[in-house]
Amino acid sequence: NAASPLLSVRGVETYYGNIIALRGVDLDVHVGEIVTLIGANGAGKSTLMMTICGSPQARTGSVTFDGTDITRMPTHEIMRMAIAQSPEGRRIFPRMTVLENLQMGAGVTDLSHFDEDLQKVYELFPVLKARRNQRGGTLSGGEQQMLAIGRALMSRPRLLLLDEPSLGLAPLVVKQIFAAIAELNRTEGLTVFLVEQNAFHALKLAHRGYVMVNGSITMNGTGAELLAREEVRAAYLEGG
Ligand code: ATP
């Protein structure tokens, strides 16, 4: 893809106090791509996701979205630039119903396409329609993840950020969720940046992938290329 990337991360260093968590990260996501970042526990994947969202901010380097430097922008402004996040641990509103959670995702500014978007989410995850009047907190883990993704979609994001959508879910549910992401990308051209410990599924789904070790990107390539690499297989696939 020769066009300029939708999301561009350049030389990003992020610290927690004096401790460095990201050591000069470069990464691009182009329009229409699914890009995944894989890596072991504590590699810095969530930190990169959070840095893209502006909290914590990068100490050096830059994050650019659609040509705009968002490195020092407050999180709520970054979210307003049509980036939607489905955070690790799926922070849905447990006491609100499924429908109310989806309404929260849509925001309040432009409701002209609310019904249309709601129907799309219901088609993607029929269980959410069946349970639309049930409180979010009473859903299963997989259903809550579907709700978190559905809520993110309601804001019509140009970039969907997913932080470990498979975390703690049964294999069948993981398959379902990844199939839904693939379908959104295929039918709507949705651009997705996905952070995953579940390297096998993530690399199968993604057009391109990056591997993070100890705060640095050590490899990148197409999903298929990375799946075929011995280092990737040994570290992230076999026995995992
Ligand atoms: P996981 O999959 O376990 O979430 P990860 O790849 O997302 O791992 P991060 O959560 O980004 O990794 O953590 C990267 C490093 O930064 C780790 O060494 C972690 O201990 C450290 N870290 C994360 N959050 C904080 C924090 N709030 N304060 C201090 N150190 C932190």
Side-chain angles (χ1 to χ4, degrees):
N1 195 337
S4 57
L6 183 62
L7 177 75
S8 177
V9 175
R10 282 293 170 274
V12 160
E13 295 188 350
T14 300
Y15 288 75
Y16 294 107
N18 291 324
I19 298 169
I20 190 163
L22 298 179
R23 304 164 188 268
V25 171
D26 294 333
L27 180 145
D28 287 327
V29 181
H30 292 92
V31 171
E33 273 190 318
I34 301 177
V35 173
T36 190
L37 174 67
I38 64 169
N41 240 309
K45 305 182 300 298
S46 295
T47 301
L48 178 59
M49 193 65 104
M50 293 188 291
T51 300
I52 291 167
C53 297
S55 176
Q57 288 184 353
R59 190 176 290 181
T60 54
S62 67
V63 182
T64 309
F65 180 75
D66 197 22
T68 302
D69 188 334
I70 62 170
T71 320
R72 305 266 172 266
M73 220 181 244
T75 300
H76 66 274
E77 277 180 38
I78 295 173
M79 296 295 120
R80 225 188 286 141
M81 295 198 68
I83 298 179
Q85 195 193 13
S86 170
E88 184 176 353
R90 352 171 225 286
R91 268 156 274 165
I92 57 149
F93 302 106
R95 303 180 73 83
M96 290 187 181
T97 66
V98 167
L99 178 58
E100 286 163 350
N101 268 277
L102 293 172
Q103 285 166 337
M104 294 298 288
V108 289
T109 41
D110 178 10
L111 292 179
S112 60
H113 41 67
F114 177 81
D115 289 328
E116 183 192 331
D117 294 349
L118 186 65
Q119 291 321 310
K120 273 191 195 163
V121 169
Y122 284 165
E123 273 169 41
L124 196 64
F125 300 121
V127 69
L128 295 182
K129 185 175 187 183
R131 300 185 179 278
R132 62 188 176 279
N133 295 319
Q134 190 172 320
R135 284 187 184 197
T138 65
L139 298 177
S140 73
E143 291 162 354
Q144 288 190 27
Q145 185 56 267
M146 292 173 196
L147 179 55
I149 294 171
R151 190 180 63 184
L153 293 173
M154 290 300 290
S155 68
R156 295 200 158 189
R158 292 172 61 204
L159 175 64
L160 179 65
L161 303 177
L162 296 171
D163 194 350
E164 304 219 19
S166 77
L167 193 74
L169 303 183
L172 195 66
V173 181
V174 173
K175 255 187 143 170
Q176 240 179 317
I177 285 174
F178 279 40
I181 296 166
E183 177 169 331
L184 278 169
N185 173 262
R186 200 177 51 242
T187 60
E188 314 259 325
L190 183 69
T191 309
V192 181
F193 178 56
L194 171 84
V195 162
E196 262 297 341
Q197 272 193 63
N198 193 331
F200 178 69
H201 278 103
L203 290 173
K204 270 181 68 171
L205 173 74
H207 300 109
R208 290 190 307 111
Y210 293 81
V211 179
M212 181 174 271
V213 177
N214 196 15
S216 302
I217 301 292
T218 56
M219 276 183 261
N220 70 83
T222 67
E225 276 165 12
L226 290 176
L227 268 175
R229 296 214 20 193
E230 197 47 52
E231 310 95 293
V232 173
R233 304 191 72 86
Y236 305 106
L237 302 179
E238 266 136 39

